[in-house]
């Protein structure tokens, strides 16, 4: 299927796969590592600081992607992302043993990742045409989840004893990914000619159009609210399992809370890899609005209940339930979302859309802090209520609107 697309699309999707793999095998486990050093309240605050700085970096990254060559943006910040992972690896080697350096590396990882990802998304969008867009984003969704499964497996089983080698390998892979993209991506973008009096004026103008698009703002808010459910698995639920899950033996392998988290992520991704296209075929003749609505509600409920479950007999069925909801709704939403973006403001709209990613991380991080004061059952309620509100905003934005909705063949 990949071979049917242009070389630029192929190169971007391959790079996306390995970049996501690098993220999945490092950052969630780095948060768990830090949670073993600091209290829930402190780690929650640290994650929120990372979210805020990453969001600001995403805004700047979108501006840079609209006003400079995106390929150069990718080259600079993908390599700096590799440097930040290398900094964390050096800390685990004992060369920089102070906690300050690992926190600094964690924050720089978030900043550099978000500085380049708007350019990355804009390149992929710019390289597609409307009639192939749904298939491209469906394939990106599929490869993303495959990379997350592999990354979760690698990170989960190397976490305890091989942290240095894990982060060193991730840094080297990131450098290779950057070199591959630079060699294979044949792409030049038009640069915005509108210049303001100052950089801040330029930034404001760059996002003003996206910010005053009420339909787009409602969509981004909705995605942030319901996505907090899945991010809670990597944040609150992952930390809680690492401390509260009673180890069990499965097929002669000891499964503790960290490995249980890894297993849940692997199950999610194996299902995505095996059933994405099957679920798409089963739902393609159904009313799209109904499919998205039911899928998102199942997704939110599954992840929300996982926040308070401690038994493998509950965690695995809930993961399966949430994944089916994700399979029904996510590919449709990915294609539908980009149909709302004006061609001359792709990077700015996509960077503004990063508010959904950062906002969901912020809400999930708030769940960590609240978890220091509230019972797990109340955190489940918090996640589900946020998710239902998000579903309402997404459905209202995409389907309860008189504007014409683009159809894909």
């Amino acid at each position: 299927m990949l071979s049917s697309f242009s070389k630029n699309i192929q190169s971007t999707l391959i790079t996306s796969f390995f970049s996501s793999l690098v993220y999945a095998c490092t950052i969630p486990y780095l948060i768990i590592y830090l949670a073993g050093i600091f209290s829930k309240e402190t780690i929650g605050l640290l994650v929120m600081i990372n979210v805020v700085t990453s969001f600001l970096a995403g805004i700047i990254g979108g501006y840079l992607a609209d006003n400079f060559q995106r390929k150069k943006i990718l080259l600079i910040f993908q390599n700096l992302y590799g440097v930040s992972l290398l900094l964390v690896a050096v800390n685990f080697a004992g060369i920089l043993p102070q906690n300050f350096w690992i926190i600094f590396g964690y924050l720089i990882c978030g900043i550099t990742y978000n500085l380049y990802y708007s350019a990355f998304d804009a390149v992929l969008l710019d390289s597609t045409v409307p009639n192939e867009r749904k298939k491209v984003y469906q394939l990106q969704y599929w490869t993303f989840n495959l990379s997350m499964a592999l990354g979760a497996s690698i990170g989960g089983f190397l976490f305890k004893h091989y942290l240095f080698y894990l982060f060193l390998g991730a840094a080297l892979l990131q450098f290779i990914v950057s070199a591959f993209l630079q060699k294979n991506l044949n792409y030049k973008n038009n640069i915005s000619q509108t210049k303001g009096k100052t950089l801040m004026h330029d930034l404001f103008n760059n996002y003003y159009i996206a910010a005053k698009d009420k339909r787009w703002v409602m969509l981004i808010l909705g995605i942030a609210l319901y996505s907090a459910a899945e991010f809670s698995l990597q944040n609150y639920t992952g930390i809680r399992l690492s401390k509260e899950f009673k180890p069990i033996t499965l097929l002669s392998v000891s499964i503790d809370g960290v490995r249980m988290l890894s297993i849940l992520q692997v199950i999610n991704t194996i299902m995505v890899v095996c059933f994405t296209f099957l679920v798409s075929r089963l739902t393609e003749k159904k009313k799209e609005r109904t499919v998205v609505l039911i899928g998102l509600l199942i997704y939110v409920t599954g992840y929300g209940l996982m926040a308070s479950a401690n038994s493998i007999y509950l965690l695995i069925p809930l993961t399966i339930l949430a994944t089916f909801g994700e399979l029904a709704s996510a590919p449709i939403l990915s294609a539908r979302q980009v149909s709302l973006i004006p061609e001359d403001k792709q990077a700015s709209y996509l960077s503004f859309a990063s508010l959904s990613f950062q906002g969901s991380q912020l809400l999930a991080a708030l769940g960590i802090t609240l978890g220091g004061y509230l019972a797990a059952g109340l955190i489940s309620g918090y996640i589900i209520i946020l998710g239902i509100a998000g579903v309402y905003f997404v459905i209202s934005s995409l389907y309860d609107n008189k504007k014409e909705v683009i159809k894909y063949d």
Side-chain angles (χ1 to χ4, degrees):
M1 187 176 183
L2 183 62
S3 60
S4 63
F5 300 118
S6 68
K7 186 176 180 180
N8 279 352
I9 293 176
Q10 292 179 42
S11 301
T12 308
L13 289 176
I14 291 170
T15 304
S16 173
F17 173 83
F18 284 105
S19 292
S20 298
L21 176 66
V22 167
Y23 176 89
C25 72
T26 54
I27 303 305
Y29 298 102
L30 184 56
I31 295 172
I32 292 174
Y33 176 84
L34 290 170
I37 301 174
F38 303 105
S39 66
K40 284 185 178 180
E41 295 83 358
T42 302
I43 191 64
L45 178 62
L46 179 59
V47 173
M48 284 190 280
I49 291 172
N50 181 61
V51 169
V52 172
T53 55
S54 295
F55 173 63
L56 294 174
I59 291 178
I60 296 171
Y63 168 79
L64 294 175
D66 271 343
N67 290 274
F68 298 92
Q69 285 298 323
R70 292 164 188 163
K71 189 172 179 179
K72 290 183 179 179
I73 300 298
L74 290 170
L75 173 63
I76 294 169
F77 293 114
Q78 280 190 332
N79 283 308
L80 284 177
Y81 181 56
V83 170
S84 63
L85 291 169
L86 191 60
L87 177 62
V88 176
V90 168
N91 178 277
F92 288 131
I95 299 173
L96 298 170
Q98 291 84 3
N99 289 335
F100 165 79
W101 289 108
I102 194 169
I103 293 172
F104 181 71
Y106 167 63
L107 294 175
I108 296 300
C109 281
I111 291 170
T112 52
Y113 183 85
N114 284 276
L115 279 169
Y116 82 77
Y117 222 85
S118 293
F120 186 87
D121 284 341
V123 169
L124 181 60
L125 177 57
D126 214 23
S127 300
T128 62
V129 293
N131 64 351
E132 68 179 1
R133 197 161 285 159
K134 183 175 181 180
K135 291 181 180 179
V136 169
Y137 281 94
Q138 189 178 59
L139 184 58
Q140 185 194 37
Y141 168 77
W142 185 82
T143 56
F144 169 78
N145 281 276
L146 177 60
S147 68
M148 294 299 284
L150 292 174
S153 300
I154 294 168
F157 285 88
L158 296 180
F159 172 75
K160 277 197 170 181
H161 305 294
Y162 303 100
L163 275 172
F164 167 69
Y165 298 103
L166 175 63
F167 277 83
L168 178 62
L172 294 176
L173 179 57
Q174 182 59 40
F175 292 134
I176 293 170
V177 165
S178 178
F180 170 84
L181 187 65
Q182 295 305 313
K183 180 180 179 180
N184 291 278
L185 184 66
N186 182 19
Y187 173 88
K188 285 190 176 181
N189 57 284
N190 294 324
I191 296 174
S192 174
Q193 300 301 315
T194 304
K195 300 292 181 182
K197 297 178 181 179
T198 64
L199 174 61
M200 292 303 297
H201 187 264
D202 277 347
L203 282 170
F204 176 80
N205 286 339
N206 212 45
Y207 291 95
Y208 178 68
I209 294 176
K212 73 176 184 178
D213 186 336
K214 294 181 180 179
R215 189 179 181 188
W216 184 251
V217 172
M218 184 181 293
L219 175 64
I220 299 311
L221 175 61
I223 293 174
L225 290 171
Y226 81 71
S227 294
E230 185 169 0
F231 278 106
S232 69
L233 178 64
Q234 298 177 1
N235 289 275
Y236 172 80
T237 305
I239 292 172
R240 186 184 59 77
L241 288 176
S242 71
K243 295 182 177 181
E244 298 179 9
F245 185 82
K246 294 181 179 179
I248 61 173
T249 300
L250 188 63
L251 300 176
S252 301
V253 177
S254 177
I255 306 297
D256 58 12
V258 175
R259 288 185 173 177
M260 187 69 244
L261 173 65
S262 178
I263 288 171
L264 295 178
Q265 292 177 314
V266 170
I267 289 172
N268 168 268
T269 310
I270 289 174
M271 288 182 61
V272 170
V273 170
C274 294
F275 299 120
T276 292
F277 302 107
L278 174 61
V279 172
S280 180
R281 284 196 295 270
L282 291 175
T283 58
E284 64 184 357
K285 294 184 179 179
K286 308 294 183 182
K287 188 175 179 181
E288 187 179 286
R289 184 184 189 277
T290 302
V291 171
V292 172
L293 175 61
I294 295 175
L296 287 179
L297 289 175
I298 293 173
Y299 166 91
V300 165
T301 302
Y303 278 114
L305 293 177
M306 285 171 67
S308 55
N310 269 327
S311 168
I312 190 172
Y313 302 108
L314 284 175
L315 288 165
I316 289 179
L318 287 171
T319 299
I320 294 172
L321 180 71
T323 303
F324 274 120
E326 179 183 356
L327 289 173
S329 57
I332 296 172
L333 289 173
S334 293
R336 187 65 65 205
Q337 178 180 345
V338 297
S339 71
L340 304 181
I341 301 175
E343 291 186 4
D344 61 337
K345 284 292 178 182
Q346 290 175 351
S348 295
Y349 263 65
L350 288 169
S351 185
F352 187 88
S354 70
L355 178 61
S356 67
F357 177 77
Q358 306 301 341
S360 58
Q361 283 194 319
L362 185 62
L363 292 168
L366 180 59
I368 300 175
T369 302
L370 291 175
Y373 305 98
L374 302 177
L378 293 176
I379 300 299
S380 283
Y382 162 78
I383 292 168
I384 292 172
I385 290 171
L386 287 180
I388 291 174
V391 173
Y392 170 78
F393 285 124
V394 168
I395 296 298
S396 297
S397 172
L398 292 179
Y399 301 105
D400 298 342
N401 195 295
K402 294 182 180 180
K403 293 182 180 179
E404 180 183 358
V405 178
I406 296 174
K407 297 289 184 181
Y408 294 95
D409 296 327

